[in-house]
Amino acid sequence: MLATFKNRVYQVVAQIPKGKVATYGQIAKLAGNKKAARAVGALMKNNPYAPKVACHRVVGFDGRLTGYSGQGGITKKKQWLISEGVIFKKEKVDLEKCLWRQKYNKIKTNNF
DNA sequence: AAAATGACGGTGT
DNA sequence: TACACCGCCATTT
């Protein structure tokens, strides 16, 4: 396993749980470069690890469905996500509920 | 090695 | 919502 950027991206994407989605920027950040969101998309297009890599669970920063070279394109991707339990707001994903969170925010043990 | 490419992110009209 | 522009980055040719 080469520690290249793209491999890290595939590694991260493969960890996205069902019913959740991640943004290109988030993945890029986890991979080491939060500004490499664009590069992430390009890597998804190649997607040599498909279907192991859940490329369909990757959405835009606003939950917007961009890209997807798969069959049916965006429409199919949308349906696919819905089937996994992802909630949709019009043409966008409800990031408030379905955004993948690798790290949970520190819980306040001493509230008040 | 340099140029071209793109499934982004953000801002403006 | 649509369209145009620009900045950014890794991969590919």
Side-chain angles (χ1 to χ4, degrees):
Chain A
M1 180 56 141
L2 298 174
T4 59
F5 179 80
K6 74 171 193 169
N7 274 314
R8 285 171 104 85
V9 172
Y10 295 131
Q11 188 71 35
V12 174
V13 175
Q15 294 177 55
I16 302 174
K18 174 186 166 197
K20 294 288 182 180
V21 298
T23 66
Y24 292 94
Q26 181 179 7
I27 294 171
K29 182 179 179 182
L30 293 173
N33 299 293
K34 70 177 183 180
K35 296 179 180 178
R38 203 168 200 181
V40 174
L43 296 174
M44 292 293 97
K45 183 179 177 183
N46 294 328
N47 195 12
Y49 294 85
K52 186 172 180 60
V53 178
C55 55
H56 59 269
R57 296 184 191 149
V58 184
V59 300
F61 75 109
D62 261 344
R64 207 173 184 313
L65 269 59
T66 62
Y68 194 65
S69 301
Q71 184 179 38
I74 304 301
T75 304
K76 182 67 178 180
K77 182 176 179 179
K78 181 179 177 182
Q79 295 294 64
W80 196 296
L81 291 173
I82 293 174
S83 296
E84 293 189 344
V86 177
I87 300 172
F88 266 76
K89 287 290 191 178
K90 305 258 184 179
E91 301 302 323
K92 297 180 181 178
V93 177
D94 187 349
L95 296 179
E96 296 297 317
K97 298 179 181 176
C98 302
L99 180 62
W100 175 47
R101 297 187 176 181
Q102 193 178 46
K103 291 183 180 179
Y104 288 95
N105 296 334
K106 56 182 177 182
I107 303 172
K108 308 175 195 170
T109 52
N110 58 336
N111 52 328
F112 296 97

